[in-house]
């Protein structure tokens, strides 16, 4: 693997860890504002991002690259509303999608075809990530100011059990 790909993959590892970090902060906010189901959901989401980072991490090592982790930004601990949290999550996933697309373009430009199956997996995964956040935002829009509907959604999101890959 050439240096450009190695660097870009390391940046992606850091981005996935940053996402995990942000989602953990969101989980804490949900927990402290009385939404245990959403906290559970965000916790699982954070763990999933760590798994994403580790997929890239293992890939770099398998290809005799060098793993170099970047530093993370503090995600902050305050949010305006439940909707604001999921909007921030969707925006984060859209940034990740753009980054994966750039990685794909780089792999093509560098003729690093060995990276393509992994990146294909992530392209499909990002469709699901964005769709999931959009769905929750649609549900929240429908719930409006109904505390009952928001609590129902909280209970529903609590059902997210085992961490997906
Ligand atoms: Mg991810």
């Amino acid at each position: 693997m050439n240096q450009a790909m190695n660097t870009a993959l390391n940046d992606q590892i850091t981005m996935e860890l940053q996402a995990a970090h942000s989602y953990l902060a969101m989980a804490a906010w949900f927990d402290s504002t009385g939404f245990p189901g959403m906290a559970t959901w965000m916790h699982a989401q954070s763990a999933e991002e760590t798994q994403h980072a580790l997929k890239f991490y293992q890939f770099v090592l398998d290809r005799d690259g060098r793993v170099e982790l970047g530093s993370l930004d503090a995600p902050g601990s305050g949010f305006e509303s439940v909707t604001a949290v999921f909007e921030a999550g969707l925006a984060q996933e859209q940034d990740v999608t753009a980054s994966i697309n750039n990685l794909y373009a780089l792999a093509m430009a560098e003729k690093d075809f060995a990276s393509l199956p992994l990146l294909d997996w992530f392209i499909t995964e990002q469709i699901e990530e964005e769709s999931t956040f959009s769905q929750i935002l649609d549900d929240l829009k429908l719930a409006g100011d109904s505390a009952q509907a928001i609590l129902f959604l909280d209970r529903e999101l609590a059902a997210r059990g085992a961490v997906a890959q």
Side-chain angles (χ1 to χ4, degrees):
M1 179 169 34
N2 72 22
Q3 191 54 52
M5 274 308 289
N6 196 158
T7 301
L9 287 165
N10 278 329
D11 289 346
Q12 193 61 40
I13 294 172
T14 302
M15 191 176 204
E16 302 290 346
L17 291 173
Q18 181 70 54
H21 207 40
S22 302
Y23 290 137
L24 193 59
M26 292 174 186
W29 186 84
F30 280 133
D31 232 324
S32 59
T33 45
F35 298 100
M38 292 179 189
T40 298
W41 191 94
M42 274 300 173
H43 231 286
Q45 183 67 20
S46 176
E48 187 177 304
E49 298 308 335
T50 302
Q51 289 305 314
H52 290 171
L54 291 175
K55 263 184 195 281
F56 282 114
Y57 166 102
Q58 194 57 52
F59 183 75
V60 169
L61 294 178
D62 286 347
R63 298 203 45 217
D64 288 329
R66 179 179 167 153
V67 169
E68 229 173 271
L69 303 179
S71 49
L72 302 182
D73 298 327
S77 60
F79 297 94
E80 276 183 22
S81 63
V82 167
T83 297
V85 178
F86 284 101
E87 279 172 349
L90 176 61
Q92 182 161 266
E93 290 307 324
Q94 287 165 339
D95 286 348
V96 170
T97 299
S99 182
I100 300 283
N101 288 344
N102 286 338
L103 257 176
Y104 201 100
L106 181 67
M108 294 293 279
E110 300 288 342
K111 296 187 175 4
D112 187 37
F113 302 121
S115 291
L116 296 185
L118 178 75
L119 295 174
D120 274 330
W121 185 90
F122 274 100
I123 282 173
T124 305
E125 173 69 11
Q126 284 311 116
I127 294 171
E128 192 191 310
E129 296 281 39
E130 287 192 35
S131 155
T132 303
F133 276 95
S134 294
Q135 181 61 55
I136 294 170
L137 283 167
D138 285 347
D139 289 348
L140 283 168
K141 206 171 170 184
L142 211 60
D145 290 332
S146 162
Q148 198 181 9
I150 293 170
L151 283 178
F152 180 80
L153 184 61
D154 186 65
R155 299 302 177 264
E156 189 179 283
L157 292 179
R160 182 172 182 176
V163 175
Q165 289 301 303

